[in-house]
Amino acid sequence: MAVEFLTDEQASRYGAFYGAPARAELERFFFLDDADREKVRVKRRAHNRLGFAVQLTTVRFLGRFMPDPRQVPVEVAEYLAEQLGIADVSVLAEYGERDGTARSHAGEIQQDGGWRDFAEVRDELVVWLDARAWTTGEGPKALFDAAVGWLRERRVLLPGVTTLARLVASVREAANQRLWETLHGLLTPGQRAALDELLTVPTGARVSELDRLRRGPVRVSGPQMKAALERAEEIARLGMGEVDVAGVPPRRLAELSRYGVDGKASLLRRHGDARRLATLLATAVHLTTRAVDDALDLLDVLVATRLLARAERETAKEKLKTLPKVERAGAKLAAALQVVLEETAEQVDTSTGEITAPKVATLAAMWEAIEAVVPRKELAAAVAAMVELAPPLDSDADEAWRRMLVSRFSTVRPFLKLLVEVVDFDATAEGAPALRAFLLLPGLMGRKKVGQAEIDTGLLAGSWKRLVLSAPHLEPGEVDWKAYSFCVLEQVHRLLRRKEVFAVNSSKWSDPRAKLLAGDAWEQVKPTVLASLGLPADAAEHLAARAALLDGTYREVAGRLPANAQISADGEGRLHFAALEPEAEPASLVALRAAVNAMLPRVDLPEVLLEVFSWTGADQAFTSVTGGEARLRDLPVTIAALLVAHGCNVGYTPVIGGADALRYGRLSHVDQTYLRLETYRAANAALIDAQALIPLARAWGGGLVASVDGMRFVVPVPSVYARPNPKYFGRRGGATWLNLINDQAAGLGGKVVAGTPRDSLYVLDVLYDRDGGRRPEMVVTDTASYSDIVFGLLTLAGFAYAPQLADLPDQKLWRIDRAADYGAFNDAARGRVDLDRIERNWEDVLRIIGSIHTGAVRAYDVIRMLSRDGRPTVLGDAIAHYGRIAKTLHILRLADEPSYRRQIKAQANLQEGRHALARKIFHGRAGQLYQHYQEGMEDQIGALGLVLNALVLFNTRYMDAALDQLRAVGFEVREEDVARLSPFVRHHVNMLGRYSFLLPEMPGGLRPLRNPDATNEV
């Protein structure tokens, strides 16, 4: 091949048949309508009619005329002959024997069908390709496929493969060159010199300045926080954040910056001026905001885990230590007080009602009675102990840990002033008072005396008021500025999480409101968004329909409830589901599963990857981050080795071999240059599409049901992007891989998040950020992903949300009509949906979901913005009310349809099966994730996800072939049993030790299946 980004196999598939078309493809492209039949009818002789029909239909399917129409697959010829009433399909061999007939027919078809020659549109295609290459930065294979699609849509006959491939390569190279020159031209000579200085290694240092600056914080501590802010300040001083790069597509800028962040400084030095400085500029622009993101990420975890949580834990420990002393002192005081109450109370004779005087008449007598129970010295000691250990009467539950927090001021002292200087904070009206106080803190720190007039006393809630204004060491009118600093910092931290305080010079911690569509931008996309989501501009009619649906569903389900053994209501009106009985496994299923599993060929994991690459071309998605066209020899072998190294968590050692493709230097170069999140996702898209075409996968589902669930990983190395959770991670931190899987067992995408946050914050982002596959219609999650706001947003986005509700008896059902009689649901339906509240906020509700739908803002940021400390804002409440309609319909359907519950359970089980296989694959280093940074975590989990999908695809295709073979020999294959087979089997795959990277000859496209009766066959 003259163009290296296409393999010989891919070139041979271009504009040609690759096997027989599927039945659906025959019906779509080769069906002859009345107009087609009329054109065919006028041809004399059967072979001319059939040959003309072949050319007429194959040009639709292939986009070009076949050099020899007689070479069409026999299935196509038979399908066309059947429609034309031609009994003997072999007559096609006579077509074109007379020179010029086939060529004449092709010309006629081209003219009548409006097919144009490539030369007519070449210039137009170049313009389109240039715009796409400039905007997206896609790899050459993706651009080539897009160009083929563009030509076919416009009924242009495809040119030769080399012609089109060379055109794509040249246009892409020109777009890259223009990108580099554009960015290079934005720089002044001084800025160019400053950027080149980043590639130097200072005297006495081991790494370049670029290497040093692109390393974010790892450990969580006050000194590390200071270092993170100093890094952000140093990067900002480069001034690259002020360069106007608005004319460059964000995706191209991000692509260049990724190369600058991941690539070696020595490699960057080798490039020409334009490319080198363009890459460094993109990297510096990225790092300007990324460094602030890193610092605020560190602040978040530092305050949450090292300060607040630790203070609470240590306070609890101190309380436990003092508990015995408090109990002893309390018991003595209680005994003494009991004596006082008994001795000084009036005596009442219950039989006569006569009241007599107290037992003691003098103080001395009372003390005598007390000391008979508790000596006065011990009583005094008990009082002293209680004064020392018990909080004041006007204290609150937080005072003890807040006092301990103040004692740890040395943790925040090093960075508070720098934080205010480096981060450009702003706030909403609600967050403004706390932010004003925060910005003034540096002026109070270190002073001997700070007066009450210098602080905002309105921020002193609860025990902070005592700690700030009434500390024992204060003189009248003074305040404890350390306590005040922590009071303000605690509030700012909370407001940062709620997005009421935000950082202007940050990306992750910026104001999501500024990203929402508004004004002309919203009006322009509004019609398209509403049409896409099926939502009306006016809410009245839509809400009336939702209300009618809810009312009707209540009445229908309530009417069937007496005969429904699946649900019952207790005396308090709470609903209870009967446990779903597991579906029995018939003998036919057990036999089929055993037979299919025994037929799967035994392979090494790298062989699975290489074979899947040969089917799908997924390895072509791994393009160089440098943008270069050249590909390495045997690159798929190196990629397979790296996927095993990362996906199995075993590192390079087990995959290093004697072949050039498996040497350490080659592995390291390809790892840094070709493997990254974008290429993993592009490769995964090819696997998802291939999975959907397999009949067995279609027997499992249509790809329209999906689930999102989290898989937890311990992160034993220091990392800002890991969070503690003793239940999952023990004493260490960890991260969660939220992944999306459809009912065809294909992983559609995922997201790595720190710790174990509520899945509900991320579900919508995961759904919108799929790698590929059909858009799911129904989404299954566990209870952790549930909230009324999430219900509302998912419903508005067009998804049927189906969370598992483990706490069903505690769930409130919602109604609209308070007076409606819903029978057994009356007590459970105690909540009321306020339609007026939804309608009043409808325009803003649409703007919110429109901004999420178009990608203008992350759903995560929106959900945090719509909720304040567990309480929704006015707009959040409107969305929650809308969601409660869908939530109630979901619960009623759970109550009424056992098959619906089984469908949800089956999808959840599918997800669990995938996680179990993922654990077996990710077996190295005890299955723990040894990555310090979020990008490293995403890349390694991306490798795991790709290996998972490749193995599932391998299993599915071979299982499908096994089913065909079993049917052919008369084995009982029931469709209901086929639907219950699992692609997550692994007994036939070697994932341990040394591996084979050689593929056998496969004349039929697949390995031979094993004999199911020869269980010991190797």
Side-chain angles (χ1 to χ4, degrees):
M1 255 312 292
V3 179
E4 294 182 356
F5 67 79
L6 290 177
T7 65
D8 290 342
E9 183 179 5
Q10 289 170 335
S12 67
R13 294 184 187 182
Y14 171 80
F17 285 97
Y18 186 76
R23 183 69 187 181
E25 292 174 322
L26 288 173
E27 294 170 351
R28 178 182 177 188
F29 293 99
F30 298 95
F31 177 78
L32 299 172
D33 60 20
D34 293 343
D36 296 334
R37 291 172 184 270
E38 184 60 29
K39 293 174 184 176
V40 173
R41 185 185 61 80
V42 300
K43 308 301 176 186
R44 294 186 302 166
R45 297 189 180 88
H47 64 269
N48 281 338
R49 290 197 298 276
L50 183 55
F52 185 90
V54 166
Q55 294 220 76
L56 178 66
T57 52
T58 54
V59 72
R60 299 171 184 168
F61 182 67
L62 301 176
R64 64 190 304 195
F65 292 106
M66 297 180 65
D68 184 354
R70 294 173 295 182
Q71 301 300 315
V72 71
V74 65
E75 291 84 356
V76 172
E78 290 175 348
Y79 184 71
L80 291 171
E82 181 183 358
Q83 296 179 75
L84 297 174
I86 298 174
D88 184 7
V89 73
S90 66
V91 300
L92 182 61
E94 303 175 30
Y95 181 64
E97 286 186 350
R98 186 173 66 83
D99 185 41
T101 300
R103 189 182 310 157
S104 174
H105 285 176
E108 178 185 341
I109 292 168
Q110 180 178 349
Q111 183 174 359
D112 291 348
W115 289 92
R116 293 182 288 172
D117 287 324
F118 176 72
E120 299 177 42
V121 301
R122 184 186 184 283
D123 292 343
E124 185 183 350
L125 175 61
V126 167
V127 172
W128 181 84
L129 273 174
D130 179 72
R132 184 167 181 134
W134 168 255
T135 304
T136 66
E138 290 176 328
K141 181 60 168 59
L143 280 177
F144 181 87
D145 292 340
V148 171
W150 186 91
L151 291 169
R152 296 185 64 170
E153 286 175 7
R154 289 157 180 78
R155 300 179 73 81
V156 178
L157 295 175
L158 297 180
V161 61
T162 303
T163 299
L164 185 59
R166 284 176 173 164
L167 178 65
V168 167
S170 64
V171 171
R172 183 172 182 269
E173 181 62 28
N176 284 339
Q177 193 65 41
R178 189 165 81 255
L179 172 68
W180 303 330
E181 291 174 354
T182 298
L183 290 171
H184 180 263
L186 297 175
L187 296 168
T188 66
Q191 289 172 327
R192 293 171 187 172
L195 288 174
D196 267 335
E197 190 68 23
L198 294 177
L199 298 179
T200 63
V201 179
T203 304
R206 299 179 60 185
V207 297
S208 68
E209 289 295 278
L210 177 61
D211 287 327
R212 181 177 61 82
L213 290 177
R214 60 189 178 185
R215 291 180 183 174
V218 172
R219 298 186 181 278
V220 180
S221 67
Q224 278 283 296
M225 183 67 204
K226 182 182 179 183
L229 290 167
E230 289 172 343
R231 167 179 174 251
E233 185 178 39
E234 185 176 356
I235 293 171
R237 281 201 301 267
L238 293 173
M240 301 306 158
E242 301 170 4
V243 178
D244 184 7
V245 295
V248 177
R251 184 171 173 180
R252 300 307 310 276
L253 203 65
E255 180 186 71
L256 268 182
S257 69
R258 185 63 184 263
Y259 176 37
V261 168
D262 293 342
K264 291 182 178 179
S266 58
L267 185 61
L268 287 172
R269 290 192 203 100
R270 300 174 190 171
H271 297 311
D273 288 351
R275 183 174 179 180
R276 182 184 70 255
L277 290 167
T279 304
L280 289 172
L281 172 58
T283 305
V285 170
H286 167 75
L287 289 177
T288 300
T289 56
R290 177 55 189 271
V292 176
D293 286 348
D294 289 342
L296 292 178
D297 283 341
L298 178 53
L299 177 69
D300 178 38
V301 67
L302 176 66
V303 172
T305 64
R306 291 292 190 272
L307 294 175
L308 301 181
R310 180 173 290 181
E312 291 185 25
R313 288 195 305 269
E314 292 181 359
T315 300
K317 290 180 182 178
E318 290 299 321
K319 285 183 178 179
L320 287 176
K321 290 180 182 178
T322 61
L323 186 59
K325 190 174 181 180
V326 170
E327 287 179 340
R328 289 193 298 271
K332 292 178 180 179
L333 291 173
L337 184 59
Q338 182 67 30
V339 171
V340 171
L341 292 175
E342 290 176 354
E343 297 294 321
T344 59
E346 293 179 331
Q347 306 297 305
V348 180
D349 188 327
T350 56
S351 59
T352 63
E354 181 181 357
I355 299 175
T356 59
K359 293 182 179 179
V360 297
T362 65
L363 181 60
M366 185 181 70
W367 268 113
E368 183 179 351
I370 292 173
E371 289 192 278
V373 176
V374 183
R376 186 178 299 202
K377 185 177 180 180
E378 292 183 14
L379 188 59
V383 171
M386 295 302 291
V387 169
E388 176 189 355
L389 300 175
L393 291 176
D394 59 348
S395 178
D396 60 25
D398 298 326
E399 182 168 347
W401 68 261
R402 283 174 172 170
R403 184 182 292 108
M404 181 167 289
L405 188 64
V406 175
S407 69
R408 300 178 62 87
F409 189 77
S410 59
T411 302
V412 301
R413 181 193 291 272
F415 67 78
L416 267 184
K417 182 178 180 181
L418 196 57
L419 180 62
V420 170
E421 294 173 352
V422 172
V423 181
D424 184 9
F425 286 109
D426 203 347
T428 63
E430 182 172 339
L435 179 58
R436 280 195 300 269
F438 185 67
L439 297 179
L440 294 173
L441 285 183
L444 307 180
M445 292 171 53
R447 290 169 50 184
K448 292 183 177 180
K449 295 182 179 181
V450 176
Q452 293 187 17
E454 298 179 79
I455 69 169
D456 184 351
T457 56
L459 300 175
L460 305 179
S463 53
W464 279 125
K465 190 170 186 179
R466 173 196 300 279
L467 294 171
V468 173
L469 302 180
S470 305
H473 64 278
L474 295 177
E475 296 180 5
E478 292 181 3
V479 299
D480 185 331
W481 59 266
K482 291 182 181 179
Y484 179 68
S485 297
F486 268 118
C487 169
V488 174
L489 179 60
E490 180 195 11
Q491 294 185 53
V492 167
H493 174 251
R494 185 178 70 253
L495 293 167
L496 265 172
R497 286 185 162 188
R498 279 174 27 189
K499 305 297 182 180
E500 299 294 343
V501 171
F502 46 88
V504 177
N505 55 341
S506 169
S507 174
K508 183 176 179 180
W509 296 90
S510 59
D511 182 12
R513 297 161 193 80
K515 301 176 184 177
L516 294 175
L517 295 171
D520 291 340
W522 166 233
E523 293 301 328
Q524 287 177 8
V525 303
K526 182 177 177 180
T528 304
V529 169
L530 298 190
S532 175
L533 298 178
L535 295 171
D538 180 47
E541 186 175 344
H542 174 71
L543 293 178
R546 299 291 290 173
L549 174 63
L550 181 61
D551 180 74
T553 304
Y554 261 127
R555 297 182 188 280
E556 289 179 16
V557 177
R560 291 191 287 266
L561 202 59
N564 187 347
Q566 292 294 312
I567 191 168
S568 61
D570 58 24
E572 299 176 0
R574 304 197 313 167
L575 302 178
H576 299 267
F577 283 153
L580 277 176
E581 293 295 328
E583 290 186 276
E585 291 193 347
S588 59
L589 171 60
V590 175
L592 180 65
R593 181 186 294 131
V596 169
N597 289 349
M599 295 172 73
L600 297 178
R602 289 178 175 154
V603 290
D604 281 3
L605 186 58
E607 294 176 327
V608 170
L609 297 171
L610 290 171
E611 189 168 342
V612 167
F613 287 166
S614 72
W615 302 339
T616 63
D619 58 295
Q620 297 298 313
F622 291 95
T623 56
S624 172
V625 73
T626 67
E629 304 295 346
R631 294 179 62 84
L632 300 171
R633 183 180 180 86
D634 294 329
L635 182 60
V637 174
T638 308
I639 290 172
L642 289 168
L643 289 176
V644 171
H646 297 319
C648 293
N649 204 25
V650 294
Y652 289 174
T653 301
V655 298
I656 289 175
D660 288 342
L662 298 175
R663 296 188 187 280
Y664 176 84
R666 167 75 168 263
L667 291 168
S668 178
H669 169 76
V670 172
D671 197 355
Q672 295 180 61
T673 311
Y674 288 85
L675 270 64
R676 56 195 185 278
L677 186 60
E678 294 90 336
T679 55
Y680 286 132
R681 297 184 61 174
N684 200 34
L687 303 188
I688 295 166
D689 291 342
Q691 179 81 0
L693 296 176
I694 302 174
L696 176 56
R698 293 200 291 267
W700 292 330
L704 296 178
V705 178
S707 54
V708 179
D709 194 19
M711 184 174 172
R712 320 295 183 186
F713 293 90
V714 172
V715 181
V717 296
S719 175
V720 174
Y721 304 100
R723 297 288 190 276
N725 186 320
K727 178 180 177 181
Y728 296 102
F729 311 132
R731 295 183 177 181
R732 294 174 172 175
T736 297
W737 179 34
L738 286 175
N739 55 99
L740 175 68
I741 176 178
N742 68 9
D743 54 2
Q744 294 178 333
L748 303 184
K751 185 177 184 65
V752 178
V753 296
T756 55
R758 286 185 64 88
D759 297 354
S760 59
L761 297 172
Y762 296 96
V763 166
L764 204 50
D765 285 327
V766 172
L767 286 166
Y768 269 110
D769 201 25
R770 303 187 312 280
D771 295 346
R774 301 179 68 182
R775 186 180 194 266
E777 294 179 356
M778 176 176 165
V779 180
V780 176
T781 67
D782 60 16
T783 305
S785 297
Y786 156 74
S787 78
D788 290 347
I789 289 179
V790 172
F791 243 119
L793 290 174
L794 279 164
T795 305
L796 288 163
F799 297 102
Y801 188 29
Q804 301 180 85
L805 299 176
D807 53 349
L808 178 69
D810 297 325
Q811 294 293 330
K812 182 192 297 185
L813 297 186
W814 297 79
R815 61 167 71 209
I816 294 170
D817 183 358
R818 285 177 175 169
D821 183 6
Y822 296 138
F825 292 115
N826 279 334
D827 290 335
R830 58 188 183 275
R832 181 175 177 274
V833 174
D834 188 345
L835 295 183
D836 291 338
R837 186 173 308 183
I838 303 172
E839 189 169 2
R840 283 195 304 271
N841 294 278
W842 186 246
E843 179 64 21
D844 285 334
V845 169
L846 293 178
R847 195 162 61 89
I848 287 283
I849 196 61
S851 298
I852 294 172
H853 186 70
T854 58
V857 66
R858 294 188 307 168
Y860 168 85
D861 290 329
V862 170
I863 295 170
R864 295 300 296 261
M865 181 184 74
L866 293 174
S867 183
R868 298 172 179 169
D869 299 329
R871 297 185 300 276
T873 63
V874 172
L875 182 55
D877 197 38
I879 294 173
H881 273 264
Y882 186 86
R884 286 162 185 159
I885 300 174
K887 170 191 169 182
T888 303
L889 290 170
H890 169 60
I891 294 176
L892 291 174
R893 189 176 178 189
L894 288 172
D896 196 45
E897 301 178 28
S899 60
Y900 182 57
R901 290 176 64 196
R902 288 196 182 278
Q903 183 182 23
I904 294 172
K905 182 64 176 175
Q907 183 62 31
N909 289 342
L910 194 69
Q911 185 103 46
E912 291 176 5
R914 186 170 190 261
H915 284 177
L917 179 58
R919 289 290 182 202
K920 290 295 182 181
I921 294 173
F922 200 76
H923 63 269
R925 294 192 279 189
Q928 297 178 343
L929 191 57
Y930 282 76
Q931 298 290 340
H932 295 284
Y933 301 107
Q934 187 174 19
E935 289 84 354
M937 295 178 187
E938 289 175 341
D939 286 349
Q940 186 163 9
I941 297 302
L944 173 60
L946 189 63
V947 173
L948 257 175
N949 267 8
L951 182 51
V952 167
L953 175 59
F954 180 90
N955 287 344
T956 305
R957 187 166 181 186
Y958 275 98
M959 290 170 70
D960 187 68
L963 290 170
D964 288 342
Q965 185 169 312
L966 290 172
R967 291 187 184 102
V969 299
F971 192 96
E972 181 185 16
V973 178
R974 302 168 59 194
E975 293 308 311
E976 56 268 33
D977 292 340
V978 170
R980 296 179 66 181
L981 295 176
S982 169
F984 301 128
V985 293
R986 52 188 177 268
H987 63 279
H988 58 298
V989 181
N990 170 40
M991 302 180 193
L992 303 172
R994 295 286 177 174
Y995 306 97
S996 168
F997 289 86
L998 298 176
L999 287 181
E1001 292 294 329
M1002 297 182 290
L1006 292 178
R1007 301 165 185 266
L1009 297 170
R1010 289 191 294 150
N1011 183 347
D1013 298 323
T1015 56
N1016 294 323
E1017 180 186 349
V1018 178

